[in-house]
Amino acid sequence: MGLLVAQLLTGLANAAALFLVASGLSLIFGVTRIVNFAHGSLYMLGAYVGITLMGVLPGAVGFWGAIVLAGVAVGLIGVVIEICVLRPVYRAPELFQLVATFGVILVIQDLTLMIWGGEDMLGPRAPGLKSVVRILGEPVPQYDLALIAITPFILLGLWWLITKTRVGILVRAATQDREMVGALGVNQSWLFTGVFFLGSALAGLGGAIQLPKGGADLLMDFSIIAEVFVVVVVGGMGSIPGAFIAAVLISVLNVFGVAYVPQSTLVLMYVVMAIVLMIRPWGLLGREEKAGEHGQIGEPQRPIRPAGWIGRSLVLALIAFMALIPVFGSTFTQVLIIDILIFCLFATSLQFILSTGGLVSFGHAVFFGGGAYVAALLVTYFNTPMELAFALAPLGAGVLAIGIGWFCIRLSGVYFAMLTMAFSQLVWSLVFQWGEVTGGDDGLVSIWPSKWLSGTTAYYYFTLAMGIGGILVLRHIMHSPFGYALRATRDSARQAEATGINVKQIQWMAFTLAGAFAGLAGGLFVFSKGSIFPDELSISTSFDALIVVFLGGVKTLAGGVVGAAFMESAKDWLTRLEYWRLILGLVIIAVVIVAPDGIVGSLRKLGERIGIVREEESMR
Amino acid sequence: MTPVLRVENLTRYFGGLRAVHEVSFDVAPGELKALIGPNGAGKSTCFNMLMGQITPSAGKVELNGEPITGLPPREIWRRGVGRTFQITGTYQSMTVAENVQMALISHHRRLFSMLPYAYRLYREEAMALLDVVGMAQQADRACAILAYGDLKRLELAIALAHKPTLLLMDEPTAGMAPRERIALMQLTADIVKERGISVLFTEHDMDVVFAHAHHIMVLNRGELIADGTAAEVRSNPHVQEVYLGGGTLYAAEETSHA
Ligand SMILES: Nc1ncnc2c1ncn2[C@@H]1O[C@H](COP(=O)(O)OP(=O)(O)O)[C@@H](O)[C@H]1O
Ligand SMILES: [Mg+2]
């Protein structure tokens, strides 16, 4: 009994930081409709700034002062981000905003590394609250009790701010009807900036307040963001009481999970999320809404045509050239090209669902890694011949996509993005924690191809055939009736439904196809490396694919391939630089703001301008 | 003869707002029927219920004697109802012809086909339909750059693709110049007469309504206050009260829809 109570109290204490961060994210989303992926980075900054301030300011006043100041400082950093990065893209499609905030994550990661170094830092303990209290015989840290006492006041404070003050009324008005704010005679951009300050400050507070329990390290940003997304999705986007309930729920669940089912704590959290969403797709206290209503702003995509004879000859020439590489290229070149081709196929499968389907999937790596793990597990446990295991990789990933798609397709826009991400995290945590079967962090090794494919050159040709074959098949599907139906659902779901198209069914099918092709890429990957680790399922792998599609050009067909080829080639020298994340992050932000057409789109426009490419009739 | 469309006590609430209240009417085969009423009267809401975009709070809809209440739009479309929207929803990233081809692909149930090139599929059929609405010359232009009136004509071609028995047209001429309006409605009237299609349309240009509608219904604050021939409706005192009391209604409505 005493242990139960103690665990409950720990859970409640952990909820404090989670709630602070989640409420900030929720608030920002509610008003600006931006999902700030960099929110975890702000939390991390809060922790680092907090440690530094606590080192300078003495005593209990200094400690609590440092927490508040850390919040203010991070709030101000949030303002800088809002003004420099987000203001230019408020009217852009969601994807652009998400990618921009992802650029911010990279920049903050490297800046933090520069300023505070790579060592994990231990948080100081709170002056006057350093010991434990015995409750029913169990030790409970005093600081935990302090957090439990403080959190409801923060909730009350926020509630008061939102419901009783003029600012709060504006915020609520903006949450419900953004046009109305303009009508109230309020400068919308300053309202957005203000909300960004508040939301960021809450994240900073969260980072600083958990210091005595956790400390600061460079992985905090990613580790909290997934959890925060679960909280926000479960609680309901934009609802602060919802964030509170969900934060408590998830934190308590985690503590009990650690105690009783230590192998599956992370999984538990995502399972709860899945159950909640099955019953209430918009979260516990969220309201149903049509997300993504501004997803198609900007130039519409152009009509497409299969490549003409020039295009086809160029592609043929390229394939012929690649087929000749083993004759004069080194083994290293072949390995590099294998990597590039695999990544190109993976990116094309994402491009299919994202660009043709208009569905921004943030968890696409789950199918890439999923396919790889299916093959690896089959080989490891059933001695399945490589050929069969390889064939089952796309199938397995496709089946996984059918399952995940069933949940996700019901939502759209950012909700869809967050759900896909959460499900990919579910699978990731399953693989990560179920060590007996999946090898956990150590991965699965010795997954080699059959004898006839074991040479680098043989596998090179195999990858060439499968990779390019896969890309061409996907491209063909984009031009087929199914591809057109998918574009129809993206262009106007209402019109599609009113002309006999079952929008959700088409999207589900497309999601499944994209998953299967990502699984094919995963199959190629695992047999080329001989091993697979949970990393290939992780958020950062999903983001890699998103970034290349984006850099290549979202509103094009070839963006995925071109972006992936470019990135995979550039990565080799880029990662040799010490602060490559900073550079990449800045490039991403710059592309979002300055050249949103990406490489292919910008080249096409350039070609039109100098007259190489036939110009389309000018858009209205 | 069974009516093409039979509506009984159709009702819809939005929270406390009674947008449509116990509306009942028939549309006879080959009939061109207008549904008019001031802005906010509930016309679009009615259409949305007929086509399945929203579910009625109460009431029944029958198509050719079969109940269709509560079916999704795609199902109602398959049973022979075509619809154009007040705000057009054509596919921006496709050409004019491809927009029609898309409807034909759906009509021929080839949506999941992945083998042929879509741009070649049912091209002839699509061109024939575009010819009917006078859009054949523009077949290969991107839909995104069409003039507004052309978009409306394209929408008409799309709505004809699955050989509907009933066409629902919500403000087909909104935002057009007066001369264009008459031309479009004349075109519509000719087409449906030739093909024996019934039409229910909303319209706020009285010239268009009186020139083309066989019967006119008047909706006011969600309630049907008149249903009859042009002469009957004109002389209905209730209608006069609603309309003539506010001669500015039409002007106001037009600006709000522009
Ligand atoms: N989705 C909705 N939610 C709430 N109210 C609505 C909704 N759609 C329409 N209404 C209201 O129902 C009434 C009828 O609207 P509508 O059918 O669009 O009128 P009309 O097409 O005749 O101009 C209006 O008062 C409108 O504000
Ligand atoms: Mg209307």
Side-chain angles (χ1 to χ4, degrees), chain B:
Chain B
M1 205 159 40
T2 32
V4 172
L5 183 73
R6 161 156 285 175
V7 176
E8 274 174 39
N9 296 323
L10 202 59
T11 302
R12 171 73 202 207
Y13 295 92
F14 289 114
L17 175 78
R18 209 170 62 183
V20 174
H21 184 61
E22 303 202 332
V23 166
S24 305
F25 61 87
D26 287 351
V27 177
E31 185 182 17
L32 231 90
K33 197 162 194 175
L35 177 64
I36 64 171
N39 201 13
K43 305 181 296 289
S44 293
T45 305
C46 256
F47 271 42
N48 284 337
M49 286 191 281
L50 298 181
M51 189 71 197
Q53 270 93 14
I54 58 178
T55 43
S57 307
K60 276 206 304 210
V61 184
E62 279 179 10
L63 184 71
N64 298 313
E66 286 181 30
I68 57 165
T69 333
L71 291 181
R74 55 175 186 274
E75 207 31 65
I76 295 176
W77 181 84
R78 292 239 175 258
R79 291 172 185 226
V81 184
R83 161 153 199 197
T84 67
F85 290 92
Q86 187 168 345
I87 299 159
T88 44
T90 44
Y91 309 129
Q92 296 270 301
S93 72
M94 298 185 196
T95 66
V96 170
E98 284 169 348
N99 262 278
V100 185
Q101 282 166 284
M102 196 63 242
L104 288 165
I105 286 170
S106 178
H107 175 54
H108 292 284
R109 296 184 187 270
R110 296 287 297 276
L111 288 169
F112 285 90
S113 159
M114 297 186 196
L115 289 180
Y117 280 124
Y119 80 98
R120 289 189 192 145
L121 222 51
Y122 309 118
R123 169 91 186 174
E124 316 280 78
E125 251 177 278
M127 289 307 289
L129 282 167
L130 286 174
D131 203 36
V132 168
V133 298
M135 287 286 293
Q137 279 82 36
Q138 310 203 48
D140 291 316
R141 297 183 76 196
C143 186
I145 55 178
L146 285 190
Y148 192 74
D150 291 341
L151 265 181
K152 285 288 184 187
R153 288 195 286 162
L154 169 59
E155 240 196 335
L156 184 57
I158 294 170
L160 292 174
H162 71 313
K163 306 190 174 65
T165 51
L166 173 68
L167 258 183
L168 303 175
M169 305 178 78
D170 197 0
E171 314 245 354
T173 70
M176 293 175 129
R179 185 174 297 174
E180 249 187 325
R181 285 182 181 169
I182 302 282
L184 181 77
M185 265 336 266
Q186 188 59 54
L187 176 70
T188 309
D190 292 346
I191 293 171
V192 299
K193 187 165 181 203
E194 187 185 318
R195 301 176 178 223
I197 303 172
S198 315
V199 178
L200 180 65
F201 69 105
T202 70
E203 181 56 67
H204 52 257
D205 182 332
M206 286 303 126
D207 291 342
V208 171
V209 172
F210 287 120
H212 293 288
H214 304 144
H215 287 100
I216 300 171
M217 297 184 287
V218 185
L219 199 63
N220 185 39
R221 300 177 184 215
E223 294 191 48
L224 209 54
I225 56 171
D227 182 354
T229 61
E232 285 164 2
V233 167
R234 264 207 197 100
S235 58
N236 182 320
H238 200 159
V239 175
Q240 288 184 352
E241 192 183 308
V242 169
Y243 269 111
L244 304 182
T248 54
L249 262 175
Y250 296 123
E253 193 172 0
E254 261 186 57
T255 44
S256 81
H257 280 310

Side-chain angles (χ1 to χ4, degrees), chain A residues 63-355:
Chain A
F63 176 84
W64 295 104
I67 290 180
V68 173
L69 283 179
V72 173
V74 173
L76 292 175
I77 294 171
V79 168
V80 173
I81 294 172
E82 197 270 344
I83 292 177
C84 299
V85 179
L86 294 175
R87 266 197 197 178
V89 297
Y90 273 129
R91 302 197 59 81
E94 286 139 0
L95 175 65
F96 290 51
Q97 302 161 353
L98 297 172
V99 170
T101 59
F102 183 70
V104 173
I105 294 181
L106 295 177
V107 171
I108 292 183
Q109 264 176 359
D110 264 2
L111 288 181
T112 312
L113 179 64
M114 271 184 207
I115 299 172
W116 284 282
E119 296 284 308
D120 291 2
M121 294 169 105
L122 217 58
R125 292 203 286 162
L129 296 169
K130 289 183 181 174
S131 59
V132 296
V133 182
R134 292 220 165 253
I135 294 179
L136 297 174
E138 293 293 329
V140 176
Q142 284 179 325
Y143 191 68
D144 277 12
L145 294 176
L147 285 183
I148 295 172
I150 293 171
T151 317
F153 286 102
I154 297 172
L155 175 64
L156 277 178
L158 277 177
W159 177 82
W160 176 81
L161 187 75
I162 301 280
T163 52
K164 299 288 178 214
T165 64
R166 182 175 148 71
V167 174
I169 289 167
L170 287 176
V171 167
R172 271 192 307 154
T175 307
Q176 271 143 32
D177 183 355
R178 284 198 289 173
E179 273 68 53
M180 208 174 100
V181 184
L184 289 175
V186 176
N187 185 331
Q188 183 170 315
S189 52
W190 286 110
L191 179 68
F192 279 20
T193 309
V195 165
F196 230 88
F197 172 81
L198 185 59
S200 306
L202 286 169
L205 276 179
I209 211 167
Q210 61 80 46
L211 277 173
K213 293 168 68 72
D217 60 73
L218 285 169
L219 298 175
M220 290 171 81
D221 51 353
F222 270 133
S223 62
I224 192 130
I225 195 72
E227 210 168 317
V228 166
F229 276 174
V230 171
V231 166
V232 173
V233 167
V234 167
M237 296 284 286
S239 163
I240 285 176
F244 180 74
I245 294 172
V248 169
L249 184 74
I250 296 293
S251 301
V252 171
L253 191 81
N254 275 344
V255 173
F256 282 110
V258 170
Y260 300 108
V261 273
Q263 326 76 7
S264 56
T265 39
L266 292 168
V267 184
L268 215 59
M269 175 167 88
Y270 294 108
V271 169
V272 167
M273 182 195 75
I275 293 172
V276 168
L277 292 177
M278 251 153 59
I279 303 162
R280 294 186 60 91
W282 281 269
L284 292 173
L285 300 185
R287 288 178 311 131
E288 167 167 358
E289 71 173 295
K290 298 268 173 279
E293 76 275 16
H294 61 312
Q296 282 291 319
I297 278 187
E299 242 173 68
Q301 290 195 14
R302 299 176 179 191
I304 54 170
R305 274 285 176 280
W309 67 270
I310 301 182
R312 279 172 203 228
S313 325
L314 283 175
V315 170
L316 268 179
L318 182 69
I319 294 175
F321 174 73
M322 287 171 79
L324 287 177
I325 286 215
V327 178
F328 55 85
S330 62
T331 310
F332 174 78
T333 315
Q334 292 179 39
V335 170
L336 182 68
I337 294 182
I338 289 176
D339 286 352
I340 292 178
L341 278 171
I342 292 172
F343 199 34
C344 284
L345 176 59
F346 177 36
T348 306
S349 71
L350 178 64
Q351 176 108 21
F352 179 66
I353 190 75
L354 189 150
S355 172

